[in-house]
Amino acid sequence: MAIEAGPIETAQPGAASRRPLGRLSRSALTRAGRAALLATGRAPVPDAIEPIVQAHRRHHPQADLALLARAYRLAEEGHRGQTRKSGEPYITHPLAVTMILAQLGAETTTLVASLLHDTVEDTEVTLDQVAADFGPEVAYLVDGVTKLEKVDFGAAAEAETFRKMLVATGDDVRVMVIKLADRLHNMRTIRHMKPASRVRIAKVTRDVLIPLAERLGIQVLKTELEDIVFATLHPEEYARTRAVVAAHEARPDELLQPFAGTLARQLAEAGVPAEVTVRPRHCVSVHRVMLKRAAAAGPDGRPQALQPADFGRLLVVVEENADCYAVLGELHTCWTPLPGEFKDFVAAPKFNLYQSLHTAVQLPGGEVAEVLVRTRQMHRVAEFGVVALGDPHQPADRTAAAAPAATGTPAGSGAPAGGDELDRTDPARPGWLSRLLAWQQETPDPDAFWTTLRDTLADDGEITVVTEEGDTLHLPVGASCVDAAYLLGEETGHRCIGARVNGRLATLSTVLRDGDMVAVLTAPTGEPPGPSADWLEHVRTPAARLAVERWLAGRPAAAPEVETGPADGRPVPQPLPHPPAGARGRAPVAVAGRPDTPVRLARCCTPVPPDAVTGYPIRGGAVAVHRTGCPVGERMREDGRGPLRLTWVPGAAPPNGYRVALQAEALNRPRLLADLTAAISGEGVGIFSADVEAPRDLRVRHSYTIELPGAETLPAVMRAMLRVPGVYDVYRAGAPREDVAAGPAADPPDGAAEVAAGRNGGDPADGAVRPSWGMHGRSAAFSGGSSSGAAGGPQG
């Protein structure tokens, strides 16, 4: 059903002198109609709103026409003497807007508010007067669409007006419905505006109003707005497309109409009652197909031309949901379906209430025809969106009749008409609107709000993903695992370190698809690694972006502070300052009883202060320094080399610094090696060697040998590596064997804190430098437990 675009005639002086209509003049017919109304006991209505009344009665036979008449009289009196840019009386605008809404099937309250929608803004009528005469509900709708004054808001008036309308729409979606009808009539008469104003209004319509019409499911408004915007902003391309459409319409349809007749006969023979029609594409839709054809080269290498089937689709309207699938069975049995073209929006409605079966079949001549299948009620919702669901504030028993169309719930099932706040079929508060209202509260700046609003509405659609716990998440197309994490809560987002998509490990930057199953993997409670600035590159939802930016803004010192010391409440020693230049080159370890004995730091366990270390004699009279419990050192002990007691020399350091072996466990992704090496180099540390193991189940291990200028820089390097997206654990290589064997109940030697799974074990906590613990140990998020590691040790 299309919305009529013709002008609405109002009573004009001299109407009686017009050409007679049959035997009776127009005035005589009007008097006869008024007499008929009086005879039935129904009060007459002004002639100007008679077309509106007729359109309204088709949807609401018992409508309160007296209320409409009172609203018209107040609007006509208030706007009397005002004219539009076209020179027409101003009252023609609210009449036209109300006619659009009446054709959509809006209820009486919406029509009353539509007649009065400009009175508070442009006349002497006040909002209190509207509330007193027509009730608070009408006053709320009128106030919701009333613009804010530029005198009060300046350049921010337009952005703040849309913010005000969005907030009002959150309580009553009819506010935006009236605004869309208002904009449609303004676009129909946009030719009377100045060129600069036409461009500005058309761009705002394109960026904000058309996406809102799409999200509310009001397809008839959306398509007409798209065509007018296209003609306004791109008149030459519109003229070319319009000429192509006109040329096609001038030729007889030798493809879709015969196919529609054949399909109708086939369905009748199968006993499926159905109405089959050809649904032409509107101008913008044809233009999109033209661009798609032009971009795809044909067999001869030239751009493809439009085919007859590109100008329309078949629409099959049936009575029951089950008939939709019966039609689909006949289509796929009698014609060849195209793989990948079938979409079931009946079982899984789109975010804007839309329900239909989509398929495409190949005809005998090789042409491809698209077919849409839906019930009558689905068709109403597909065309008129939330308007077809009636008053969102009606009791459930009055709106239950509209619920099956949007939810697929059988009539009479007793299902509530409203639903959960994030239910996409809730007419009072769609899920996308709830999210808009949530982030707009955190964006007080008008320019930032306006930019974010346009970017958000530019998203093509919405996807639905489910968590492994069964929760449903609604996200925009292109959303990543980071967006899903923040949708579960800001704290969950800050602590996320990875994700599992459809049972397989995935990076946080992974783009989710409709129907995916997602599990967000988080760091242990109380130890959030915090978001990285890199996350801003792959977040799509404003809420996630605002949360990440707010977290980063609260920590301007480049990086979050991640503790690497003991987590058992013991005091953490402060790091030593960098060693003086004169101390570099001195032996960092002293052998008890052998003051001038040369020492060599073992490469297997790379000890650094304040690790607990043990010395073993080697050739040449030197002493090898191993971390206590190092497997290599233990074999030397078993070979009969007596251990020597060692102490770290304060301020001393090897000539080239300390060499340390680190390992990073991460979720594999592109540029991970580059990001890790950049993080290490950013701390002023040299990389002696690097090794990357082959990925296993999307997990990968990177091993680095680095040269530290001083032992105190090791915790900062490990923190920097852990902040790289995808990295969920950083630890030192060469776990001491006895630490692993000791088990979770054993106390580490010399009072050192144990790191989970033997990682970084044997580091005493009472040295002058903070021990370099493994950053997370074995992450509980991957094992499904809540403890801090396999060995029960603390995690930093």
Side-chain angles (χ1 to χ4, degrees), residues 179-255:
K179 177 61 182 177
L180 289 171
D182 171 70
R183 179 54 60 95
L184 176 57
H185 183 250
N186 284 332
M187 293 300 292
R188 285 175 177 174
T189 58
I190 198 172
R191 63 186 180 277
H192 300 291
M193 304 291 292
K194 295 178 180 178
S197 297
R198 289 201 297 265
V199 172
R200 179 184 60 82
I201 295 171
K203 286 183 177 179
V204 173
T205 303
R206 177 196 63 191
D207 296 340
V208 179
L209 273 304
I210 289 176
L212 286 173
E214 168 74 12
R215 280 157 173 74
L216 292 175
I218 313 177
Q219 191 70 17
V220 290
L221 290 185
K222 171 183 173 284
T223 54
E224 187 175 350
L225 285 173
E226 282 183 332
D227 284 350
I228 299 175
V229 168
F230 184 34
T232 303
L233 298 180
H234 308 283
E236 294 181 357
E237 294 183 36
Y238 174 81
R240 285 196 296 267
T241 307
R242 190 64 227 161
V244 172
V245 174
H248 171 76
E249 292 174 347
R251 297 189 297 267
D253 187 352
E254 299 178 353
L255 180 68

Side-chain angles (χ1 to χ4, degrees), residues 575-579 609 658 708-717 719 769-770:
L576 288 174
H578 286 281
Y658 291 99
L708 303 174
E712 69 282 350
T713 61
L714 179 57
V717 174
R719 286 197 297 268
V769 178
R770 180 184 304 176

Side-chain angles (χ1 to χ4, degrees), residues 56-102:
H56 190 40
R57 281 177 181 162
R58 286 197 291 267
H59 300 279
H60 305 278
Q62 304 300 322
D64 186 355
L65 302 182
L67 196 63
L68 277 176
R70 284 200 296 119
Y72 166 73
R73 293 189 182 99
L74 179 60
E76 194 279 330
E77 181 181 352
H79 291 296
R80 189 175 299 164
Q82 297 177 349
T83 58
R84 308 191 78 223
K85 296 285 186 182
S86 61
E88 297 175 312
Y90 195 92
I91 190 61
T92 59
H93 171 64
L95 283 173
V97 173
T98 307
M99 185 63 181
I100 292 170
L101 294 171

Side-chain angles (χ1 to χ4, degrees), residues 515-529:
D516 280 346
M517 179 176 289
V518 181
V520 175
L521 310 175
T522 59
T525 305
E527 301 172 10

Side-chain angles (χ1 to χ4, degrees), residues 514-652:
D514 197 37
D516 280 346
M517 179 176 289
V518 181
V520 175
L521 310 175
T522 59
T525 305
E527 301 172 10
S532 165
D534 296 337
W535 291 10
L536 296 174
E537 297 178 3
H538 47 260
V539 294
R540 291 296 299 273
T541 56
R545 180 173 296 277
L546 289 170
V548 173
E549 290 176 346
R550 185 166 53 248
W551 195 94
L552 295 174
R555 294 157 179 79
E561 179 71 18
V562 180
E563 289 295 336
T564 58
D568 55 2
R570 293 178 295 166
V572 178
Q574 295 299 317
L576 288 174
H578 286 281
R584 186 171 299 278
R586 291 170 48 192
V589 179
V591 182
R594 301 182 183 182
D596 297 323
T597 301
V599 295
R600 297 180 183 176
L601 299 180
R603 299 301 188 202
C604 55
C605 56
T606 59
V608 295
D611 293 342
V613 292
T614 304
Y616 301 95
I618 57 176
R619 292 179 183 178
V623 173
V625 180
H626 290 262
R627 293 169 63 186
T628 301
C630 172
V632 176
E634 289 302 302
R635 285 198 297 269
M636 296 175 72
R637 183 201 297 265
E638 294 171 359
D639 291 340
R641 301 188 186 187
L644 304 175
R645 192 164 61 88
L646 308 176
T647 58
W648 294 102
V649 178

